[in-house]
Each structure stands twice: as C-alpha cells, then as structure tokens.
Amino acid sequence: HFAYEKDREILKGITMNFPANSFISFVGESGCGKSTLAGILTARNRGYSGSVKVGGVDISQIREEELMAHMTKITHNSYLFAGTVEENLRMAKPDATREELEYVLEKVNLLAFLKEQDGLQTVLLEKGGNFSGGQRQRIGIARALIMEPEFVVADEPISALDVSIRAQVLNLLNQLKASRGLTYLFIAHDLSVVRHISDRLGVMYLGSIVEMGDKHTLFTNPVHPYTKVLFAAVPTVGEKPLVQGIDAKGEIPSPVNLPKGCYFSDRCPYATDRCRQEKPVLREVEPGHMAACHLL
Ligand code: SF4
C-alpha cells in the first residue's frame, strides 16, 4: 500500500498485491503514472508514504545495495558501458563467481555466442556495434538477474527492439518466470504484447487504477469506459476489433489540473453529473475483477 503525492496528485492510496510467479501488466497512455509506479516499486523513487513489500520485506526501508536481492528493474535500454561483458555484470554483483556469471549468461542464451568470441572478456563497443540490440538487452537482463531477485519491474523492456527480436526477448522473460519463479510487473503500451504475455492486467488513467483483473476477463469483458476506449484503438488485421463503437473526447488532461470527481469525466461518453462531482472507488464487479466507475 502506498500513496505518492509529490508534485502531482497521482498514485494516491493505491493498494496492490502481486501473486508470486505471475506476470502482471499495467497499460495506459503516456502520463498515466506507469513509470512513476515503476520508480516507486523499485525504490528508485522514495517520495511516497506507505510501504512496498516484496516477500514480506519493506523495500523502502532497506539500503540500495540490498535492494537487488529482492527486486530489480529492466528498461527498454539497459545501460551498458564500453567494457567487457564480465565488467558489465560485475557492476551488479562485484563478488560473483565465474559459475554465477556463466549461469546467468546461459539463462539468457548468450553463453554459447560469447564462447565463440572472447568469452566473458568480449568487449561491448560503445555504440553496440559488435552486439545486436537483442543481445545487449539480454546482457541487461542477465545483469538484472545475477542478484537472484524475486520481483522484476520490466518498464517497456522491448519497445526499442526490432519486431523480429521482441518475441525472443518476451519468450526469454516467460522462460525465466517458469525456471526461476520470478514475478513480473510489466509496463507497456502495446496491448498485443500484453495480451500475449500477461496473467493479470491493470489499466491506469491519470495515476489511478481504473480496472484490474485476469487477462482473459479483461480482454473478453472489459467494463470500464476507459479500458474500452483503449481496446477500441488496438489495430486488428482480419480479426474482429476487441471493442467497437466507443471513442474518448479530447486529450488526456494535465495531471496538475485534474478534473473534479472521476478523472475520466472530461472525456467519457457516459459521464453524468455525479461523475463530475464524485470520484469512483475501485471495487469488485465480479470475483477477481475490479473497476472504478459509477455505472458499474
Ligand atoms: Fe465515465 Fe462516470 Fe464511469 Fe467515470 S465514473 S468512467 S465518467 S461513467
């Protein structure tokens, strides 16, 4: 449970539980608070009240060096420096044994490739010339995993990769979930990817969770007007659209000037006077399926 209210009134009083060994995705337009959420959950952003616990440990109370043993973050562009693969991995765990280094590189399917080069001493060139984008992302994932975290926040981890490589990296994340029992919070804007990989899905709008449930339920029976708007915008080729006949008015408002009542009321085609006065709370609309809308 936490509340983040630093400069903007977003992510206020959110309580979430992520079941172990599951893949939970959060979607929403730019500015909806997904990356702020990632920052809070990885304790990079400590400007909140409340607590974030991983396996019972409150990560807001532990030192940075201990953090990676519980959780870590993968982004779309893992920062790697010009140096050997080994040096890049030791950045996360300086005292790692050779076996540990080789183990994670094997897990991300890079060890055989490296052995054909100079092994762990293969140098990453600054502009990445000797490694493909997918291979660099795999090194970033290996570095994230070497501390054996339980929880991984993956913030748009494939958005910078070629389409041909995206499926490989997603499959790798899924394999690691099964083999290492990882729990992922996956932040994305590409709903087709989210549909493929998630167990549960949360939809965010201006720092609030407006709908949450298991993937099948949300994709077959979205109930919140904003979720329907998001799904209606997904391009489909030769398939029935996920949702038809709904569109939002205008643009997402500035988080510094939020509408009174429901934050979606300025854009929602079903808004009533009550919506403009009273903020709806997230509640269960059917077992395991939560939504925040006065119409439900
Ligand atoms: Fe639309 Fe009202 Fe529901 Fe908000 S509470 S999503 S404005 S119908």
Side-chain angles (χ1 to χ4, degrees), residues 64-241:
E64 182 96 8
E65 311 85 76
E66 297 168 47
L67 186 63
M68 280 185 74
H70 298 284
M71 60 91 51
T72 191
K73 183 174 174 184
I74 306 167
T75 64
H76 67 280
N77 186 15
S78 300
Y79 170 74
L80 300 173
F81 60 87
T84 68
V85 172
E86 177 167 347
E87 285 166 342
N88 271 277
L89 294 187
R90 285 195 186 284
M91 214 171 92
K93 192 173 184 188
D95 59 352
T97 63
R98 158 90 26 177
E99 288 72 31
E100 285 177 291
L101 296 174
E102 291 197 352
Y103 178 76
V104 286
L105 288 166
E106 197 192 345
K107 280 282 170 204
V108 298
N109 302 332
L110 263 185
L111 193 57
F113 171 80
L114 288 171
K115 283 190 168 165
E116 288 168 14
Q117 318 282 312
D118 291 328
L120 273 62
Q121 298 312 310
T122 307
V123 173
L124 286 148
L125 300 177
E126 199 154 348
K127 298 239 173 352
N130 52 344
F131 284 88
S132 69
Q135 287 171 327
R136 287 175 74 83
Q137 191 65 329
R138 282 163 188 269
I139 296 170
I141 294 170
R143 193 180 58 196
L145 294 180
I146 199 158
M147 294 296 284
E148 305 205 3
E150 298 158 63
F151 185 57
V152 177
V153 173
D155 189 359
E156 304 270 11
I158 56 165
S159 59
L161 299 176
D162 287 347
V163 175
S164 58
I165 298 165
R166 287 181 180 187
Q168 287 175 24
V169 173
L170 285 177
N171 287 338
L172 171 65
L173 295 178
N174 237 344
Q175 284 163 18
L176 292 168
K177 175 185 163 228
S179 65
R180 312 244 340 218
L182 293 177
T183 303
Y184 289 97
L185 178 88
F186 190 79
I187 289 181
H189 64 270
D190 185 338
L191 279 165
S192 52
V193 168
V194 166
R195 190 177 190 182
H196 170 70
I197 203 158
S198 317
D199 298 313
R200 284 180 69 74
L201 179 65
V203 179
M204 293 185 71
Y205 187 74
L206 283 174
S208 294
I209 297 170
V210 296
E211 188 162 0
M212 193 154 186
D214 72 66
K215 170 183 72 175
H216 181 73
T217 303
L218 257 77
F219 275 100
T220 54
N221 182 30
V223 293
H224 194 282
Y226 177 64
T227 310
K228 291 183 184 179
V229 166
L230 266 191
F231 285 7
V234 177
T236 49
V237 182
E239 274 183 47
K240 208 169 125 237

Side-chain angles (χ1 to χ4, degrees), residues 224-226 262 264-265 268 270-272 275 280 292-295:
H224 194 282
Y226 177 64
C262 173
F264 192 49
S265 58
C268 179
Y270 310 117
T272 63
C275 302
C293 173
H294 293 311
L295 292 187

